[in-house]
Amino acid sequence: MNIDIEALKAQYPLFNRLISLEELFWTNPNLEKFDTAIENSPLSYEDVKQAEERLVRFAPYIAKAFLETAKMNGIIESPLVKIPSMKQSLEGDYQQIIGGDLLLKCDSHLPISGSIKARGGIYEVLKHAEELAVQHQLLTFKDDYSVLDSDRFRTFFSQFSIAVGSTGNLGLSIGIIGANLGFNVTVHMSADAKQWKKDLLRSKNVNVVEYEADYSKAVEEGRKLAEQDPNCYFIDDENSRDLFLGYAVAASRLEKQLKELAINVDEGHPLFVYLPCGVGGGPGGIAFGLKLIFQDNVHCFFAEPTHSPCMVLGLMTGLHDQISVQDVGIDNLTDADGLAVGKPSGFVGKTMEPFLSGVYTVSDQQLYKLLKKLVDTEGIHMEPSALAGMIGPVKLSKDDDGVEYLSKHNLTEKMKNATHIVWGTGGNMVPEEIMKQYYQKGFDIEE
Ligand SMILES: *Cc1c(COP(=O)(O)O)cnc(C)c1O
């Protein structure tokens, strides 16, 4: 696409920072009141509820096929924990008081695939499997879905294939669940995908195709190949409504966890949520679900690497998926797996535009420092991308635009009652040796 960089510089005050790869904090001028935003939304509460009910139908199968989920009766969910030592350490390091409590949502520890992709990715495969089985009269909504964990069903599903383009984690989720059901799964991996992820998938008989190019190219090629095969279902991370809804189910689960911790969210007790963003489906779906529940009392921010700020670029310019970071001279090279995306989902950008409070960017160096700090203070291990949310509470309180956001929404005085949730999106499946290297990098940067 032909982009007039000079015009963008003149029009958007933060554009220079963006292309200079400096960290920035952007507040969304198109944020609307919840009531207005939901009226014009292509998705509703009813859509999310249906996704939630589908996951309940599948729970007996999940519990049987993945033993680690049995104690949660086949519901794939992660802990929500307070991280007071991390909060104290952040406040000291960045010389900034964070009003209220700091919590971490540990999607890094989601069962089955150890990342946020165990929400949307698994959901979409389950929905597709259900549609096929019901269509062929092998299953009804009233059945006990544990029957799916059987040779009879695996033989049935082996006639069908599933394909997906991925930087790694989505491929892991789709590959693991798809192979377990019996599908032929092909994962089209971008150049940045880690070797151990490819190895793990191949060990589960998943077909891994490797590309020299970035994520958008892997998706494009995967989509093209899948279109040639009528029995192949392509999971389109750039446009999928089902992925989005699978992620959105997280919100009602989180509401329950907040109640269990006796944490109130209401007009006097605002909730701030910081979500690492790649193509947008994961953070978008979760933020959408949270807005449905907490409405104007929740404030959602996306976090992107300084080298892959695709969502903020698309939202700021209003060009969504018609502009990529490469178009404005940014290289899309980051160690943050899952976030190395040059072009955002147009569907997510447009759907979330009236609901999203803002987007900020964070450098890779910062991610490694935060990774080490989380280990040192709380003993929790996550992968670099999962730390992108961690600096959000600092930036919101410190950056001029963050301070202005708080005052504009009458939040300044309420911050002592605030709850900040950092969405920790991945890490549990990272091999120990690689995790040690991540920690060491954080150590070296601190020195
Ligand atoms: C995929 C991923 C994200 C972001 O999800 P998108 O749907 O691509 O925006 C964040 N963190 C991790 C670890 C991921 O794998």
Side-chain angles (χ1 to χ4, degrees):
M1 168 127 189
N2 229 343
I3 303 287
D4 184 347
I5 301 228
E6 291 310 313
L8 293 176
K9 277 188 194 166
Q11 197 170 355
Y12 304 105
L14 285 178
F15 189 78
N16 252 325
R17 277 189 90 90
L18 185 98
I19 57 174
S20 320
L21 308 174
E22 281 171 73
E23 294 190 352
L24 58 81
F25 188 95
W26 175 80
T27 52
N28 176 13
N30 297 321
L31 171 68
E32 292 173 15
K33 282 269 181 215
F34 174 77
D35 285 345
T36 326
I38 197 67
E39 238 173 72
N40 303 312
S41 177
L43 294 169
S44 69
Y45 177 72
E46 197 49 44
D47 296 313
V48 181
K49 199 167 141 240
Q50 280 178 18
E52 199 169 338
E53 287 167 0
R54 179 166 287 111
L55 288 170
V56 170
R57 288 200 291 280
F58 270 98
Y61 156 71
I62 297 285
K64 185 157 173 248
F66 301 93
L67 285 180
E68 75 263 37
T69 68
K71 58 179 184 297
M72 292 174 67
N73 297 317
I75 295 297
I76 304 166
E77 199 41 73
S78 74
L80 173 69
V81 297
K82 291 194 180 181
I83 45 170
S85 307
M86 182 69 180
K87 180 182 168 203
Q88 206 175 21
S89 173
L90 284 170
E91 290 180 328
D93 262 26
Y94 294 92
Q95 292 295 299
Q96 176 61 52
I97 298 288
I98 300 169
D101 267 346
L102 183 64
L103 287 88
L104 182 63
K105 179 63 174 162
C106 303
D107 272 9
S108 48
H109 292 70
L110 276 175
I112 302 184
S113 65
S115 84
I116 188 173
K117 305 296 192 309
R119 298 186 183 277
I122 289 178
Y123 173 73
E124 183 157 354
V125 173
L126 295 177
K127 177 162 187 265
H128 179 57
E130 183 181 57
E131 274 165 5
L132 287 172
V134 168
Q135 205 176 39
H136 288 76
Q137 297 176 341
L138 296 170
L139 187 73
T140 73
F141 283 9
K142 294 209 159 63
D143 289 348
D144 177 342
Y145 280 24
S146 64
V147 295
L148 291 163
D149 185 43
S150 64
D151 288 343
R152 182 165 76 100
F153 273 95
R154 271 186 276 272
T155 307
F156 168 68
F157 289 124
S158 71
Q159 311 164 65
F160 304 96
S161 46
I162 291 178
V164 66
S166 172
T167 61
N169 286 341
L170 185 63
L172 273 187
S173 284
I174 307 253
I176 293 172
I177 190 79
N180 191 281
L181 282 161
F183 286 103
N184 291 302
V185 187
T186 301
V187 178
H188 299 269
M189 286 282 200
S190 56
D192 52 305
K194 299 284 187 296
Q195 191 58 42
W196 67 267
K197 295 184 183 175
K198 300 179 208 172
D199 295 342
L200 195 149
L201 281 172
R202 289 189 172 121
S203 79
K204 297 193 182 289
N205 283 327
V206 172
N207 181 19
V208 177
V209 186
E210 299 176 59
Y211 293 88
E212 294 290 323
D214 82 347
Y215 162 87
S216 304
K217 187 74 185 166
V219 172
E220 191 185 317
E221 288 301 313
R223 189 188 286 123
K224 252 193 256 167
L225 288 171
E227 273 167 4
Q228 295 164 9
D229 176 1
N231 274 337
C232 183
Y233 180 79
F234 182 69
I235 295 188
D236 191 343
D237 197 18
E238 287 179 330
N239 298 292
S240 172
R241 194 185 131 99
D242 288 329
L243 277 175
F244 189 90
L245 293 172
Y247 289 118
V249 172
S252 60
R253 312 254 184 91
L254 186 82
E255 184 187 27
K256 232 181 270 161
Q257 292 180 318
L258 285 168
K259 279 202 182 119
E260 282 162 14
L261 293 170
I263 294 173
N264 288 328
V265 178
D266 53 37
E267 222 194 310
H269 301 80
L271 173 63
F272 298 88
V273 185
Y274 310 92
L275 300 132
C277 177
V279 74
I286 290 171
F288 181 77
L290 289 170
K291 291 301 281 191
L292 286 173
I293 293 175
F294 299 113
Q295 308 194 355
D296 294 322
N297 300 323
V298 65
H299 308 268
C300 300
F301 294 88
F302 289 175
E304 296 188 300
T306 49
H307 283 252
S308 302
C310 67
M311 188 58 80
V312 67
L313 178 64
L315 285 167
M316 183 191 286
T317 59
L319 292 171
H320 297 288
D321 55 350
Q322 301 303 304
I323 190 167
S324 72
V325 302
Q326 290 94 340
D327 287 337
V328 298
I330 299 176
D331 59 13
N332 191 28
L333 294 178
T334 167
D335 286 351
D337 293 24
L339 309 188
V341 177
K343 197 178 72 176
S345 160
F347 157 68
V348 172
K350 287 170 206 163
T351 303
M352 288 311 294
E353 192 154 30
F355 296 102
L356 188 67
S357 294
V359 188
Y360 63 85
T361 62
V362 51
S363 72
D364 279 20
Q365 296 236 328
Q366 190 99 258
L367 295 178
Y368 282 116
K369 269 204 294 202
L370 293 164
L371 183 149
K372 175 177 183 288
K373 190 186 289 297
L374 186 63
V375 175
D376 293 346
T377 57
E378 305 282 348
I380 301 173
H381 293 76
M382 292 194 175
E383 59 186 277
S385 38
L387 275 302
M390 194 60 83
I391 199 72
V394 173
K395 288 199 182 279
L396 176 66
S397 310
K398 201 175 178 104
D399 192 283
D400 288 346
D401 288 329
V403 172
E404 193 189 311
Y405 178 92
L406 295 179
S407 112
K408 182 175 160 195
H409 294 271
N410 288 322
L411 292 163
T412 315
E413 300 302 318
K414 300 174 186 166
M415 290 313 278
K416 59 184 184 300
N417 302 323
T419 300
H420 304 267
I421 296 181
V422 171
W423 215 277
T425 45
N428 201 28
M429 290 187 84
V430 175
E432 208 181 315
E433 199 41 49
I434 294 179
M435 192 56 88
K436 274 193 193 143
Q437 294 166 14
Y438 288 158
Y439 182 89
Q440 185 61 40
K441 271 201 177 174
F443 186 86
D444 294 343
I445 289 164
E446 267 183 357
E447 289 299 292

